[in-house]
Amino acid sequence: MGSATIFFWLQLPNVTKNYRTALTITGIVTLIATYHYIRIFNSWSEAFTVASKDGGDYTVQLTGAPFNDGYRYVDWLLTVPLLLIELILVMKLPQADTVSLSWKLGVASALMVALGYPGEIQEDLSVRWFWWCLSMIPFFYVVFTLAVGLAEATSKQPSPAAASLASAARYLTVLSWCTYPFVYMVKSVGLAGPAATMYEQVGYSLADVLAKAVFGVLIWALAAEKSAVEESGKLLPN
Amino acid sequence: MGSATIFFWLQLPNVTKNYRTALTITGIVTLIATYHYIRIFNSWSEAFTVASKDGGDYTVQLTGAPFNDGYRYVDWLLTVPLLLIELILVMKLPQADTVSLSWKLGVASALMVALGYPGEIQEDLSVRWFWWCLSMIPFFYVVFTLAVGLAEATSKQPSPAAASLASAARYLTVLSWCTYPFVYMVKSVGLAGPAATMYEQVGYSLADVLAKAVFGVLIWALAAEKSAVEESGKLLPN
């Protein structure tokens, strides 16, 4: 995540001014994630002790300190709206559409994260499902808006390469986003204990790398392609 | 590794735009390695206590905490595909070849690392050899593609100096890469205990410095040489 941030920011001079805000935000998203993953790493290390007696098999024991999953939700609350805004900005829609889409998707996605958290910290399965369902309402709104609403914007990209990158970014968002509700369900279907916690953490981490760093690379490639088209004069910047 | 990163990034303004992405990635590879070597250092320090009784000889004792060799494999999983991509980018092949080679070598090399890990954490020698053999399949594919497939690209470099640097970078990759399977075999041939662990760690660390920092210097020299040729107008940039 941290390397992705540096990569995006070092690429700022290589894109035209039109895409620098999008690329700056792309790097901020992975920076915020870097910070929270360091906190998650430390919280994880403090919650478990791995040791072997007499050089035999290693065993894992709880230290009593809690593993704090709240860092993920604070991270998502900040990064998920920013992720959507970077996608909207790189599309370079008319100003009014950019502002209205950023507000709608930003608020809906923050709501989605906020509604997921009360369920995540519950052991009661029916309460977990209740918050999962509530959270899925803004989730579907965002995914639907991306899959359908931005299709038109994709078709207006200035070159076939740009259109195919924009399309890939949209679909990667939908695909990586759909991972989260399934990972959330790991504990809701009654799995518990160390294995469930491990699957959940691995699942969320993989989805985060896809949704932030890999997605960011697509945003950068799209910005670079559109900058090249603009600079070659095939299309004048708006 | 960390110093190499800073060197590569400070050199960014001294190469033309064509080679900045390659040089940025070169610095990211050594940055990711810096991070993991700090983690390896800390894990090593936590796993062993060195102390002397009565001011006599020092003895090493296990603390019970595991030395986590997983950091190396996570490092390689990220840096090995990036290393190959920086080599491909600095060659400046046609766009379609760059994309297809990056995908093929990137995926094959990640597979190579992933297939090596299950054997590395095994004590059973036959299981170690099984994963070693599986991992060697993508290994040979990558090395063969580099040694043969990129030979043509090397001959098309814009100056004799550039051709000889490109050739050196290719052969350094093959040479440093061939170190890893031999180091892996240290424990597979039945060596065990502190000496085997030490030889393994020293071997991997030396190979990493060659494959990342020294290799990066060649990539930088090649980018600088090609930039000079382009700027002198002997060859127009695409």
Side-chain angles (χ1 to χ4, degrees):
Chain A
M1 294 284 193
S3 306
T5 294
I6 294 169
F7 178 78
F8 300 139
W9 289 348
L10 286 177
Q11 289 287 336
L12 280 174
N14 296 350
V15 302
T16 62
K17 223 172 159 178
N18 288 319
Y19 305 106
R20 287 191 191 146
T21 306
L23 206 53
T24 303
I25 295 177
T26 308
I28 284 178
V29 165
T30 45
L31 181 75
I32 296 175
T34 304
Y35 170 79
H36 286 110
Y37 271 101
I38 292 171
R39 291 276 181 217
I40 290 170
F41 181 104
N42 291 343
S43 178
W44 184 268
S45 301
E46 282 161 17
F48 307 104
T49 318
V50 182
S52 102
K53 275 184 185 160
D54 324 317
D57 286 344
Y58 289 98
T59 54
V60 180
Q61 287 192 309
L62 298 174
T63 61
F67 170 62
N68 186 357
D69 224 9
Y71 292 123
R72 281 195 190 281
Y73 279 80
V74 173
D75 180 82
W76 292 336
L77 196 63
L78 299 167
T79 56
V80 173
L82 288 174
L83 271 175
L84 293 171
I85 291 170
E86 83 193 41
L87 178 60
I88 295 163
L89 284 178
V90 86
M91 291 288 185
K92 206 155 156 286
L93 310 171
Q95 176 96 15
D97 295 357
T98 298
V99 172
S100 101
L101 259 178
S102 295
W103 272 109
K104 279 192 273 184
L105 295 185
V107 170
S109 62
L111 196 66
M112 170 188 84
V113 173
L115 289 172
Y117 189 60
E120 184 74 82
I121 54 171
Q122 275 292 332
E123 306 253 312
D124 183 328
L125 299 193
S126 62
V127 181
R128 279 186 77 92
W129 281 111
F130 171 75
W131 290 106
W132 184 88
C133 292
L134 277 192
S135 178
M136 288 307 277
I137 299 166
F139 176 91
F140 278 120
Y141 170 74
V142 173
V143 168
F144 180 81
T145 308
L146 286 179
V148 179
L150 283 176
E152 198 195 355
T154 302
S155 67
K156 285 186 188 156
Q157 295 301 307
S159 75
S164 110
L165 285 166
S167 175
R170 263 185 334 126
Y171 285 108
L172 178 65
T173 311
V174 173
L175 179 83
S176 62
W177 280 44
C178 287
T179 326
Y180 294 95
F182 285 103
V183 175
Y184 192 102
M185 284 194 283
V186 166
K187 285 184 174 167
S188 305
V189 295
L191 285 174
T197 300
M198 185 194 70
Y199 287 129
E200 193 187 55
Q201 295 304 316
V202 170
Y204 281 149
S205 302
L206 283 179
D208 270 357
V209 169
L210 279 181
K212 294 181 170 90
V214 176
F215 175 73
V217 170
L218 284 176
I219 295 289
W220 158 73
L222 185 52
E225 166 66 21
K226 290 172 83 170
S227 296
V229 172
E230 285 176 10
E231 281 179 345
S232 74
K234 281 181 208 154
L235 182 85
L236 290 172
N238 292 349
Chain B
M1 293 284 191
S3 308
T5 295
I6 293 170
F7 177 77
F8 300 139
W9 289 347
L10 287 177
Q11 288 289 330
L12 280 173
N14 294 354
V15 302
T16 62
K17 219 173 161 179
N18 288 321
Y19 306 107
R20 286 190 192 146
T21 303
L23 206 54
T24 303
I25 295 176
T26 307
I28 283 176
V29 165
T30 44
L31 179 76
I32 295 175
T34 304
Y35 170 79
H36 286 110
Y37 271 100
I38 292 172
R39 290 277 182 215
I40 289 170
F41 182 103
N42 290 343
S43 179
W44 185 268
S45 301
E46 283 162 17
F48 307 105
T49 320
V50 182
S52 104
K53 275 183 185 163
D54 323 318
D57 287 345
Y58 288 98
T59 54
V60 181
Q61 286 192 310
L62 298 175
T63 61
F67 170 62
N68 187 356
D69 223 10
Y71 290 124
R72 281 196 191 281
Y73 279 81
V74 173
D75 179 82
W76 292 336
L77 196 64
L78 298 167
T79 56
V80 173
L82 288 174
L83 273 174
L84 294 171
I85 290 170
E86 82 193 41
L87 179 60
I88 295 164
L89 284 178
V90 86
M91 291 287 185
K92 203 156 157 286
L93 310 172
Q95 174 98 15
D97 295 356
T98 299
V99 172
S100 100
L101 259 179
S102 295
W103 272 109
K104 277 192 273 184
L105 295 185
V107 170
S109 62
L111 196 67
M112 170 187 84
V113 173
L115 289 172
Y117 189 60
E120 185 75 82
I121 55 171
Q122 275 291 332
E123 306 251 314
D124 184 328
L125 299 193
S126 62
V127 181
R128 278 186 78 92
W129 281 110
F130 171 76
W131 290 106
W132 183 89
C133 292
L134 277 191
S135 178
M136 288 308 275
I137 300 168
F139 176 90
F140 278 119
Y141 170 75
V142 173
V143 169
F144 179 82
T145 307
L146 286 180
V148 179
L150 283 176
E152 198 195 356
T154 302
S155 68
K156 284 186 188 155
Q157 295 303 307
S159 75
S164 110
L165 285 166
S167 178
R170 265 188 329 129
Y171 285 109
L172 178 65
T173 311
V174 174
L175 179 82
S176 63
W177 280 44
C178 286
T179 325
Y180 294 95
F182 286 104
V183 176
Y184 191 103
M185 283 194 283
V186 166
K187 284 185 174 167
S188 305
V189 295
L191 285 174
T197 300
M198 185 194 70
Y199 287 129
E200 193 187 56
Q201 295 304 316
V202 170
Y204 281 149
S205 302
L206 284 179
D208 271 357
V209 170
L210 280 180
K212 294 181 169 90
V214 176
F215 175 74
V217 171
L218 285 176
I219 296 288
W220 158 74
L222 185 52
E225 166 65 21
K226 291 172 82 170
S227 296
V229 172
E230 284 176 13
E231 281 178 345
S232 74
K234 284 181 208 155
L235 182 86
L236 290 172
N238 292 350

